[in-house]
């Protein structure tokens, strides 16, 4: 855990760390913009070298008097809060971010950007903006965005949700104004290092906002456009790439934003077509510079997973775990990925081991972890299951009591897990069919394991074995059609990735034809229509693809993980309309 108190309040052990850090780094006696940027660059290097407490110790003394120290210090605490999900860390993150906003506010021009938009972006007013005031706007916008994100997590009442939304809007407005300032000063001869730092901040903000907004399905975006938001994916990616290739403090943040997009967002909220070449080339220089940096090792391992190099990824994740002991939450990220690695390989005992660790050590989503653990245990042979000493029925029964709410809403994957676990609520439980593979689909895991024909073939064998067992049952329970359809969807996905496209189409069609008989898992039909659309896209049958995907979008409501499918539909239609080729 990174230390978060003031130096005077810390225990003896922490004070020693504090002093050790300062044997090498003397405390500055004055702090102008140039010195602040240099010192924050040192703190960033410490952070990327796993020296999280030392980075905080370097930033803390000036965190009330320098906008960059305030931003850096509070950003690390916000990251920590997001990782631990502990209420005290969230409170600490919010209060530090409030202080950071006050510090930035002191350096802003009196008639601030948002209060006088028309006034600021005239040539005359831009000329009157000092360097410090330009940086204060960017730092303020960055702090505001992070505080809004934490506000959503902290409390679930609607007022906080609205407050968070307004903060995001203000932040967005400031970035747009700063972008105009940047365009008006492009021709200036007197560009110096601090100007390029300002430019890096603008590219990060404009890039991240445009990229995030471009992912949103039309119905959400129409609502946001009403209050002045709009997103352009290409502009967002372009700004982030330019920011990542620069030498500003924010270059690494632009790089991380692009890495999150390529390695997670495009998989979970997109069609699964990740630009791994770009991810590799972005990460490579940082891997060279910080070979033991746990964040670098984590991304390197994640890229290996997406290439289908699961064995190499497993070794990399172990390196990442061994690289540092201070932020245990980075270990938890590795456990989550290792759990899926072993799931793809159907090494159920190892997958169980990591699901078990998560359910005991991490607070992000207890309901999800316990469900996942029980789902993996369902895949074990009877003897192996006995040796674990676990009771599957009792685990599934715990799921409902563990669900949580964020910004007043249940988490869609938790809601899904709760619904599935209900089959175990009665005194006569009805067992789930291959729940670990169904969950794998929820996280778009078939798009990943599909890179490996050997493992996809093994999954197909498991699915067909279950299909035969289900067909041979004489007494069909009320979930029979749902279970048959779920297996057809998973079987179709395996066949698609193995290149057996006609057979895949048959499986998907069976699900769609059974629509009227599906009782509980109403998500199956819209998701299958979407998958069938992607299958036609793969065969360059563009019109057919659009028709099926549009049907999934327009004809179904109020099913599990509806918003997740709408994100994926938005990405698929976007790629079909821009060009039939896959977009990065």
């Amino acid at each position: 855990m990174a230390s978060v108190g003031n130096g005077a309040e810390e225990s003896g052990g922490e004070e020693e760390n504090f002093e050790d850090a300062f044997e090498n780094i003397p405390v500055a006696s004055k702090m102008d913009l140039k010195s602040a940027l240099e010192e924050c660059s040192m703190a960033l290097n410490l952070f990327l070298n796993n020296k999280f407490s030392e980075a905080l110790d370097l930033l803390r003394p000036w965190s009330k008097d320098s906008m960059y120290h305030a931003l850096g210090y509070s950003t690390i605490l916000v990251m920590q809060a997001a990782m631990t999900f502990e209420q005290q860390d969230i409170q600490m993150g919010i209060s530090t971010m409030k202080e950071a906003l006050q510090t930035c506010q002191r350096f802003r021009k009196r008639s601030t950007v948002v209060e006088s938009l028309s006034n600021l972006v005239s040539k005359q007013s831009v000329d009157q903006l000092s360097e410090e005031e330009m940086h204060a706007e960017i730092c303020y916008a960055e702090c505001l965005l992070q505080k809004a994100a934490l506000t959503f997590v902290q409390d679930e009442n609607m007022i906080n949700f609205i407050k968070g939304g307004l903060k995001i809007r203000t932040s967005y407005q400031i970035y747009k104004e700063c972008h105009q300032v940047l365009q008006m000063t492009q021709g200036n001869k007197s560009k110096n290092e601090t100007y390029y730092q300002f430019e890096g901040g603008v590219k990060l903000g404009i890039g991240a906002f445009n990229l995030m907004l471009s992912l949103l399905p039309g119905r959400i975006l129409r609502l946001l456009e009403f209050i002045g938001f709009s997103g352009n994916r290409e502009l967002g990616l372009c700004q982030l790439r330019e920011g990542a290739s620069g030498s500003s403090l924010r270059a690494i943040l632009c790089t991380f934003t692009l890495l999150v997009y390529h390695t997670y967002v495009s998989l979970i909220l997109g069609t699964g077509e990740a630009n791994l070449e770009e991810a590799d080339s972005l990460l490579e220089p940082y891997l060279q510079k910080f070979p033991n940096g746990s964040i670098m090792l984590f991304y390197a391992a994640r890229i290996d997973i997406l290439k289908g190099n699961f064995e190499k990824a497993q070794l990399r994740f172990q390196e990442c775990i061994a690289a540092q002991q201070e932020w245990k939450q980075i270990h938890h990220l590795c456990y989550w990925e290792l759990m899926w690695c072993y799931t793809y390989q159907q090494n159920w005992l190892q997958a169980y081991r990591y699901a078990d660790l998560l359910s005991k050590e991490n607070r992000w989503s207890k309901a999800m972890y316990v469900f996942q653990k029980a789902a993996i245990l369902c895949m074990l042979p009877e003897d192996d299951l006995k040796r674990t000493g676990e009771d599957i029925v009792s685990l599934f029964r715990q799921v409902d009591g563990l669900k949580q709410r964020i910004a007043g809403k249940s988490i869609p994957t938790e809601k899904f897990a709760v619904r599935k676990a209900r089959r175990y609520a009665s005194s006569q439980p009805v067992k789930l069919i291959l729940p670990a593979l169904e969950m794998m689909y929820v996280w778009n895991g078939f798009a990943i394991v599909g890179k490996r024909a050997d493992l996809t073939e093994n999954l197909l064998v498991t699915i067909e074995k279950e299909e035969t067992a289900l067909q041979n049952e004489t007494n069909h329970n009320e979930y029979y059609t749902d279970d048959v359809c779920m297996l057809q969807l998973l079987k179709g996905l395996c066949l698609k990735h193995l290149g057996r496209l006609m057979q895949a189409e048959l499986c998907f069609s069976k699900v769609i034809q059974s629509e009227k008989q599906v009782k509980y898992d109403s998500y199956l039909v819209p998701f299958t229509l979407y998958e069938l659309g992607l299958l036609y896209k793969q065969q360059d049958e563009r019109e057919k693809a659009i028709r099926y995907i549009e049907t999934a979008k327009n004809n179904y409501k109020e099913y599990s993980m509806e918003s997740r499918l709408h994100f994926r539909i938005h990405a698929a239609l976007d790629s079909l309309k821009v060009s039939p080729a896959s977009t990065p």
Side-chain angles (χ1 to χ4, degrees):
M1 224 20 31
S3 60
V4 295
N6 290 320
E9 293 165 7
E10 287 164 356
S11 63
E14 292 285 33
E15 277 172 8
E16 281 168 22
N17 287 346
F18 188 89
E19 282 157 17
D20 289 347
F22 281 91
E23 280 172 13
N24 308 325
I25 305 162
V27 182
S29 55
K30 70 178 182 61
M31 195 56 65
D32 57 14
L33 189 58
K34 188 169 177 292
S35 310
L37 286 161
E38 282 168 6
E39 203 160 269
C40 287
S41 180
M42 286 164 73
L44 184 61
N45 284 343
L46 285 169
F47 184 83
L48 296 174
N49 265 320
N50 309 324
K51 295 181 176 169
F52 308 119
S53 291
E54 289 180 37
L56 281 169
D57 291 338
L58 176 57
L59 294 166
R60 188 184 295 113
W62 285 94
S63 62
K64 305 265 197 306
D65 302 294
S66 150
M67 60 180 123
Y68 272 100
H69 285 72
L71 173 64
Y73 184 63
S74 53
T75 298
I76 295 176
L77 294 188
V78 165
M79 279 180 74
Q80 186 172 308
M83 290 176 110
T84 65
F85 240 61
E86 295 279 357
Q87 202 53 44
Q88 69 192 59
D89 287 343
I90 292 169
Q91 282 304 130
M92 187 71 193
I94 286 175
S95 65
T96 315
M97 202 44 92
K98 266 186 191 161
E99 288 170 7
L101 282 165
Q102 286 163 4
T103 303
C104 295
Q105 182 64 41
R106 291 209 309 273
F107 292 95
R108 293 173 82 200
K109 196 172 177 68
R110 282 290 165 249
S111 61
T112 61
V113 169
V114 175
E115 285 162 9
S116 56
L117 300 185
S118 55
N119 173 26
L120 176 77
V121 191
S122 65
K123 187 78 183 90
Q124 184 189 358
S125 58
V126 168
D127 290 342
Q128 287 167 3
L129 264 183
S130 73
E131 239 180 6
E132 211 157 48
E133 286 164 349
M134 283 163 71
H135 280 268
E137 291 300 333
I138 281 290
C139 291
Y140 189 84
E142 232 165 282
C143 288
L144 211 51
L145 198 55
Q146 293 184 44
K147 185 161 184 282
L150 267 194
T151 307
F152 289 146
V153 175
Q154 177 209 17
D155 202 343
E156 56 200 48
N157 71 48
M158 200 57 194
I159 292 170
N160 264 353
F161 197 72
I162 293 163
K163 273 188 190 167
L166 290 171
K167 285 187 183 81
I168 291 174
R169 183 168 183 255
T170 306
S171 174
Y172 182 62
Q173 298 276 51
I174 295 173
Y175 276 122
K176 276 184 13 184
E177 296 303 320
C178 288
H179 191 235
Q180 284 180 271
V181 170
L182 198 61
Q183 287 172 321
M184 294 175 84
T185 52
Q186 283 290 303
N188 288 8
K189 300 243 178 347
S190 59
K191 289 182 187 172
N192 56 14
E193 177 56 29
T194 52
Y195 178 86
Y196 291 115
Q197 292 287 354
F198 172 74
E199 186 178 48
V202 175
K203 288 188 188 303
L204 171 65
I206 293 290
F209 260 114
N210 273 282
L211 187 57
M212 280 191 311
L213 291 167
S214 75
L215 298 168
L216 296 173
R219 57 186 182 170
I220 301 173
L221 201 54
R222 277 193 292 279
L223 194 69
L224 290 174
E225 278 167 352
F226 177 68
I227 54 167
F229 284 105
S230 60
N232 175 329
R233 182 171 312 180
E234 282 316 306
L235 172 67
L237 287 169
C238 177
Q239 289 281 304
L240 288 166
R241 283 167 184 148
E242 285 175 17
S245 64
S247 57
S248 80
L249 260 181
R250 269 99 171 190
I252 183 77
L253 297 177
C254 291
T255 299
F256 283 163
T257 306
L258 285 167
L259 284 172
V260 168
Y261 173 70
H262 290 315
T263 61
Y264 281 100
V265 176
S266 59
L267 259 293
I268 296 166
L269 301 180
T271 55
E273 296 160 354
N275 186 340
L276 298 181
E277 276 177 40
E278 181 171 17
D280 257 337
S281 64
L282 283 164
L283 187 61
E284 192 48 44
Y286 290 101
L287 260 178
Q288 298 282 327
K289 193 174 175 186
F290 305 103
N292 295 315
S294 53
I295 298 171
M296 314 311 153
L297 290 168
F298 178 81
Y299 276 117
R302 174 67 183 169
I303 292 168
D304 280 330
I305 282 188
L306 297 182
K307 289 176 178 172
N309 300 336
F310 304 135
E311 297 78 6
K312 189 178 170 192
Q314 282 154 352
L315 293 172
R316 274 250 168 91
F317 282 124
Q318 296 301 347
E319 279 178 54
C320 179
I321 291 166
Q324 59 84 35
Q325 299 304 313
E326 194 179 342
W327 275 21
K328 289 283 188 197
Q329 289 70 34
I330 294 175
H331 296 185
H332 299 157
L333 290 171
C334 295
Y335 297 165
W336 173 260
E337 293 297 340
L338 284 162
M339 175 186 78
W340 286 115
C341 260
Y342 287 116
T343 296
Y344 301 146
Q345 296 164 308
Q346 294 192 76
N347 182 339
W348 300 116
L349 271 174
Q350 283 290 10
Y352 157 71
R353 188 179 149 222
Y354 288 106
D356 186 45
L357 280 168
L358 282 168
S359 70
K360 287 173 178 162
E361 292 183 17
N362 190 272
R363 292 174 59 92
W364 287 325
S365 175
K366 288 277 188 195
M368 194 68 240
Y369 299 143
V370 171
F371 181 88
Q372 198 75 38
K373 180 163 106 168
I376 289 166
L377 288 165
C378 289
M379 311 295 291
L380 283 175
E382 203 58 47
D383 288 350
D384 286 348
L385 176 60
K386 276 196 183 115
R387 277 198 290 276
T388 66
E390 299 275 12
D391 176 352
I392 290 178
V393 174
S394 119
L395 285 170
F396 278 125
R397 285 176 180 169
Q398 287 171 37
V399 175
D400 193 19
L402 293 168
K403 67 177 187 287
Q404 55 189 344
R405 295 170 82 80
I406 292 180
K409 296 260 185 203
S410 303
I411 301 164
T413 43
E414 285 196 354
K415 254 163 83 172
F416 179 76
V418 166
R419 270 189 202 139
K420 298 300 287 188
R422 278 189 196 134
R423 281 169 59 159
Y424 291 83
S426 73
S427 55
Q428 296 290 307
V430 183
K431 82 182 185 77
L432 285 165
I433 306 293
L434 304 186
L437 300 193
E438 187 177 14
M439 233 10 172
M440 189 167 114
Y441 174 62
V442 167
W443 293 99
N444 219 354
F446 282 86
I448 298 171
V449 78
K451 304 263 171 75
R452 287 277 295 269
D454 56 338
L455 298 179
T456 307
E457 201 71 66
N458 294 345
L459 284 167
L460 185 59
V461 170
T462 301
I463 293 162
E464 287 181 331
K465 196 170 144 195
E466 201 65 43
E467 187 184 19
T468 307
L470 205 56
Q471 282 164 356
N472 292 340
E473 276 181 13
T474 44
N475 295 328
H476 293 167
N477 63 48
E478 58 187 314
Y479 299 99
Y480 177 75
T481 307
D482 297 51
D483 289 342
V484 167
C485 288
M486 192 268 293
L487 288 176
Q488 288 301 315
L489 169 58
L490 302 187
K491 183 178 174 180
L493 289 162
C494 289
L495 291 164
K496 175 185 120 169
H497 288 294
L498 290 167
R500 289 149 67 178
L501 305 187
M502 276 180 70
Q503 287 170 278
E505 186 178 347
L506 271 173
C507 291
F508 294 150
S509 299
K510 277 183 195 168
V511 180
I512 294 159
Q513 284 154 13
S514 307
E515 179 176 352
K516 298 244 182 319
Q517 286 82 50
V518 172
K519 283 187 180 175
Y520 300 99
D521 291 330
S522 54
Y523 84 94
L524 287 166
V525 176
F527 272 85
T528 303
L529 282 162
Y530 162 77
E531 294 296 348
L532 190 51
L534 287 188
L535 190 71
Y536 291 133
K537 178 191 167 191
Q538 193 179 328
Q539 297 171 86
D540 288 331
E541 294 188 55
R542 192 165 166 273
E543 302 309 317
K544 225 170 171 181
I546 291 171
R547 191 167 76 247
Y548 276 92
I549 294 170
E550 290 276 12
T551 304
K553 176 183 167 184
N554 298 324
N555 293 11
Y556 299 87
K557 278 190 173 64
E558 290 168 19
Y559 52 87
S560 289
M561 298 166 308
E562 185 178 347
S563 58
R564 185 169 290 205
L565 182 58
H566 276 275
F567 273 101
R568 289 181 188 175
I569 285 170
H570 175 68
L573 291 174
D574 198 44
S575 68
L576 278 160
K577 280 171 186 165
V578 175
S579 72
S582 66
T583 51

